[in-house]
Amino acid sequence: MECRVLSIQSHVVRGYVGNKSATFPLQVLGFEVDSINSVQFSNHTGYAHWKGQVLTAEELNVLYEGIKLNKVNHYDYILTGYSRDTSFLEMVVDIIQELKKANPSLVYVCDPVMGDHGAMYVPENLLPVYRDKVVPLADILTPNQFEAELLTGRKINTQQDAVEVMDLLHKMGPETVVLTSTDLPSKHGDQFLVALGSQKIVKPDGTNSSQKICMDIPKVDAVFVGTGDLFAAMLLAWTHHHPRDLKTACEKTVSVMHHVVKRTITYATEMAGPGKRPSPAQLELRMVQSKADIENPAIVVEAKVL
Amino acid sequence: MECRVLSIQSHVVRGYVGNKSATFPLQVLGFEVDSINSVQFSNHTGYAHWKGQVLTAEELNVLYEGIKLNKVNHYDYILTGYSRDTSFLEMVVDIIKELKKANPSLVYVCDPVMGDHGAMYVPENLLPVYRDKVVPLADILTPNQFEAELLTGRKINTQQDAVEFNLLSLVVLYHHPVVTVVKPDGTNSSQKICMDIPKVDAVFVGTGDLFAAMLLAWTHHHPKDLKTACEKTVSVMHHVVKRTITYATEMAGPGKRPSPAQLELRMVQSKADIENPAIVVEAKVL
């Protein structure tokens, strides 16, 4: 397989978020990963302390210039995640536009990281940049419920709302949309969260339609960091292998997440000791230990076609 | 296996040198790798063009401070490679000293990158820092012949010259086509081995970084068996390089020399060889 990904995300010295979370699993699956580190921090910001440096929009451009001057600015995929300022995001947009010109079949996998549970954790002025410039370039989009509501201006209270929001997002750009988590009630009870996906397809008679799926995912009682970055990376990998089968791609993606998270919570609670809440350091994803699950995930979730 | 490595090396957006060369193979072998990127460049400096940013000694210290404040400055191994300025290298020395205090069993694997084939490709003022401050802290050292000669002030013309090194616990001299290893332990005896390694007709970048990382891994698994550790390390190198040269010559086309981009190590494609290297070189015990 000859497939090259450009991933523009954070780097942490210790732990698994951003590029640290995305790179190893993609490499294990045989993807060539070029990575631009948008920041270098000691660790993620959920620890008591964190220190490091950020890359400016101009420095990002300089790195891209180096790639371009060597005529190796040819990618099959781009992957982006958390961004914290508009000038950086605008430079990312320019780079993606140029890379799409260089390779019109390029697939841009975009996690529009803005917030969760009703609150933004990036500056508000990122929203119009995502809505008006980034999302129109995206081919695969992985918003959570809150981000999908922000981008479309529509609230999601029912499954029908979710379906309509995904269709609105298709109109804005991406052919594939996965709502990675919602507050919709699961038929399996409150220990499960509901995720949905939609992929535009062309039917045998030539008309446009979409395949919509729904998954009930077991909740885990802990705060993990880096799981969204792992999700987007694995969705990239599994939609690459199953380009017309969102059901299978999502089942594999969600299953990998499940195995990694389960291994992590087991280790973390053991390290913390009985009756103690695990620390952020103990809750770092057990990524290298999950190599076999990443390579060949046992399917533990079934997606239902709506 | 619960083993954490701190690797302080370069990062390139594209290709495999420094941390890009060391991290994936170590992770594939189950090591936790914390990585401090000493630079971020678009690609290695053998291409026609390269652009990017360097980390200052102070910025390195800030990153280490973050790790320390969270009380997670505990490592089993440190790995360092190419460094281009003395202030950065001196900060690395301070960090290693502190980490060794935090964990006295820490093993420092040091590639004293200074030059090759009789010429230095780092500033000359790095030599005294390596010789007087870095090498005394190292537990495993991987100089080539030129670097070993610089560090000791002794020329190597014969195998006996190579054997007479008395530096520290483990020295691997990587010099085509002979690898000589000297390993003194507490009882004043040492296991010395020698290997004949096939040359490949191309310039590879990042192979030294891969070598040091794999030597870390295989000496970890074979701490009392240097022969096996080196056979595995050199065998992994062989498989990666062979796969790379095959791909590169195919991409270049008949009669054309492969470009630096084409010669990037076929790292992700070599996963199986990294996990379980078929032994293709035999080390001789001297």
Side-chain angles (χ1 to χ4, degrees):
Chain A
M1 178 179 74
E2 205 56 44
C3 198
R4 190 171 288 266
V5 179
L6 175 63
S7 180
I8 305 175
Q9 304 196 54
S10 313
H11 171 79
V12 284
V13 171
R14 177 192 213 277
Y16 296 98
V17 300
N19 269 334
K20 270 290 223 43
S21 188
T23 303
F24 175 70
L26 283 169
Q27 291 175 319
V28 153
L29 288 170
F31 290 82
E32 283 284 1
V33 183
D34 285 11
S35 48
I36 294 180
N37 296 323
S38 57
V39 308
Q40 177 166 224
F41 288 162
S42 51
N43 42 263
H44 71 67
T45 58
Y47 285 63
H49 309 272
W50 52 274
K51 285 188 181 291
Q53 300 88 26
V54 303
L55 198 70
T56 65
E58 187 44 43
E59 288 168 335
L60 165 62
N61 190 36
V62 162
L63 287 169
Y64 175 69
E65 279 298 301
I67 299 286
K68 191 171 157 190
L69 283 166
N70 289 309
K71 301 185 172 30
V72 289
N73 56 327
H74 186 102
Y75 293 98
D76 303 296
Y77 287 89
I78 305 174
L79 177 58
T80 67
Y82 178 79
S83 213
R84 58 169 295 107
D85 87 67
T86 55
S87 67
F88 193 88
L89 197 48
E90 306 243 18
M91 186 62 72
V92 168
V93 166
D94 288 346
I95 289 170
I96 294 172
Q97 277 169 336
E98 203 173 288
L99 289 173
K100 282 200 163 198
K101 255 196 229 125
N103 176 19
S105 340
L106 185 149
V107 174
Y108 172 29
V109 179
C110 171
D111 187 2
V113 180
M114 286 185 281
D116 206 353
H117 304 121
M120 284 187 86
Y121 44 60
V122 301
E124 284 189 359
N125 60 358
L126 258 63
L127 171 57
V129 184
Y130 271 115
R131 191 189 54 220
D132 304 334
K133 298 189 183 181
V134 178
V135 169
L137 287 176
D139 299 288
I140 299 177
L141 195 74
T142 62
N144 55 36
Q145 173 174 337
F146 176 60
E147 292 156 352
E149 291 174 338
L150 280 180
L151 288 168
T152 57
R154 281 277 309 267
K155 282 280 178 225
I156 296 173
N157 295 310
T158 65
Q159 186 175 273
Q160 185 54 30
D161 292 335
V163 164
E164 286 172 18
V165 162
M166 289 192 292
D167 282 337
L168 281 173
L169 289 168
H170 283 315
K171 284 211 184 73
M172 289 169 73
E175 270 193 4
T176 302
V177 176
V178 177
L179 289 182
T180 55
S181 67
T182 69
D183 292 329
L184 295 172
S186 165
K187 60 183 180 292
H188 295 302
D190 62 8
Q191 292 312 300
F192 286 78
L193 66 86
V194 173
L196 297 105
S198 177
Q199 184 172 62
K200 278 162 76 165
I201 54 176
V202 180
K203 297 204 301 197
D205 63 4
T207 58
N208 290 328
S209 180
S210 70
Q211 183 191 62
K212 288 190 170 54
I213 62 155
C214 172
M215 289 177 290
D216 296 274
I217 303 172
K219 289 185 190 174
V220 184
D221 182 29
V223 176
F224 293 103
V225 184
T227 40
D229 304 325
L230 177 60
F231 185 96
M234 293 298 87
L235 189 66
L236 183 162
W238 293 117
T239 54
H240 178 74
H241 290 300
H242 305 283
R244 304 273 113 225
D245 184 359
L246 187 61
K247 177 178 173 339
T248 301
C250 282
E251 285 170 348
K252 287 188 173 174
T253 302
V254 171
S255 297
V256 171
M257 304 298 300
H258 170 85
H259 295 302
V260 174
V261 159
K262 198 145 174 279
R263 182 172 284 103
T264 303
I265 192 72
T266 301
Y267 173 84
T269 37
E270 193 183 310
M271 293 303 288
K276 295 223 178 86
R277 282 193 79 73
S279 68
Q282 290 162 340
L283 280 164
E284 288 286 3
L285 297 176
R286 296 295 274 168
M287 194 71 83
V288 305
Q289 297 79 6
S290 299
K291 184 179 64 174
D293 294 313
I294 292 165
E295 288 168 336
N296 197 14
I299 307 303
V300 295
V301 178
E302 205 188 325
K304 192 178 72 178
V305 178
L306 297 180
Chain B
M1 181 178 75
E2 205 57 42
C3 199
R4 191 171 288 266
V5 179
L6 174 64
S7 179
I8 306 175
Q9 303 197 55
S10 312
H11 171 78
V12 284
V13 172
R14 177 191 212 279
Y16 296 98
V17 302
N19 269 334
K20 271 290 223 46
S21 188
T23 302
F24 175 70
L26 283 169
Q27 291 175 320
V28 154
L29 289 170
F31 290 82
E32 282 284 0
V33 182
D34 285 10
S35 49
I36 295 180
N37 297 323
S38 56
V39 308
Q40 178 166 226
F41 288 161
S42 51
N43 42 264
H44 71 67
T45 57
Y47 285 63
H49 309 271
W50 53 274
K51 285 190 181 290
Q53 300 90 26
V54 305
L55 199 70
T56 65
E58 187 43 43
E59 288 168 332
L60 165 62
N61 190 37
V62 162
L63 287 169
Y64 174 67
E65 279 297 302
I67 298 287
K68 191 171 155 186
L69 283 167
N70 288 310
K71 300 185 172 34
V72 289
N73 58 328
H74 187 103
Y75 293 99
D76 302 295
Y77 287 88
I78 306 174
L79 177 59
T80 66
Y82 178 79
S83 214
R84 59 169 293 105
D85 89 67
T86 56
S87 68
F88 193 87
L89 197 48
E90 306 242 21
M91 186 61 73
V92 168
V93 166
D94 288 345
I95 289 170
I96 294 172
K97 280 192 192 148
E98 204 174 285
L99 289 173
K100 282 200 162 196
K101 252 195 233 131
N103 176 18
S105 341
L106 185 149
V107 174
Y108 172 30
V109 179
C110 172
D111 187 1
V113 180
M114 286 186 279
D116 206 352
H117 304 121
M120 284 188 85
Y121 45 60
V122 302
E124 283 190 359
N125 61 358
L126 258 63
L127 171 55
V129 184
Y130 271 114
R131 189 188 56 219
D132 304 334
K133 298 189 186 185
V134 178
V135 169
L137 288 176
D139 299 287
I140 296 178
L141 195 75
T142 63
N144 55 35
Q145 173 173 334
F146 175 62
E147 292 157 350
E149 291 174 341
L150 279 180
L151 288 169
T152 58
R154 283 273 310 267
K155 284 278 174 226
I156 296 173
N157 297 308
T158 66
Q159 184 172 275
Q160 185 55 30
D161 292 332
V163 164
E164 273 169 16
F165 279 105
N166 192 24
L167 287 172
L168 35 70
S169 67
L170 173 60
V171 179
V172 177
L173 289 178
Y174 186 67
H175 171 248
H176 300 288
V178 170
V179 169
T180 307
V181 182
V182 293
K183 190 188 178 202
D185 58 25
T187 60
N188 284 335
S189 82
S190 64
Q191 182 188 58
K192 291 176 179 55
I193 66 163
C194 173
M195 302 172 80
D196 294 275
I197 303 171
K199 288 186 192 179
V200 184
D201 182 28
V203 177
F204 293 104
V205 184
T207 39
D209 303 325
L210 177 60
F211 185 95
M214 293 299 86
L215 189 66
L216 184 161
W218 294 118
T219 53
H220 177 74
H221 289 300
H222 304 284
K224 301 277 124 215
D225 183 358
L226 188 59
K227 177 176 173 341
T228 301
C230 282
E231 287 170 347
K232 287 189 175 176
T233 302
V234 171
S235 296
V236 171
M237 304 299 298
H238 169 86
H239 295 302
V240 175
V241 159
K242 198 146 174 278
R243 180 171 285 105
T244 303
I245 193 72
T246 300
Y247 173 83
T249 37
E250 193 183 311
M251 293 304 289
K256 294 222 179 85
R257 282 193 80 74
S259 68
Q262 290 163 338
L263 280 164
E264 288 286 4
L265 297 177
R266 295 294 274 168
M267 194 73 82
V268 305
Q269 297 79 6
S270 299
K271 183 179 65 174
D273 293 314
I274 293 165
E275 287 167 336
N276 198 12
I279 306 303
V280 297
V281 179
E282 205 187 324
K284 191 178 71 174
V285 178
L286 299 180

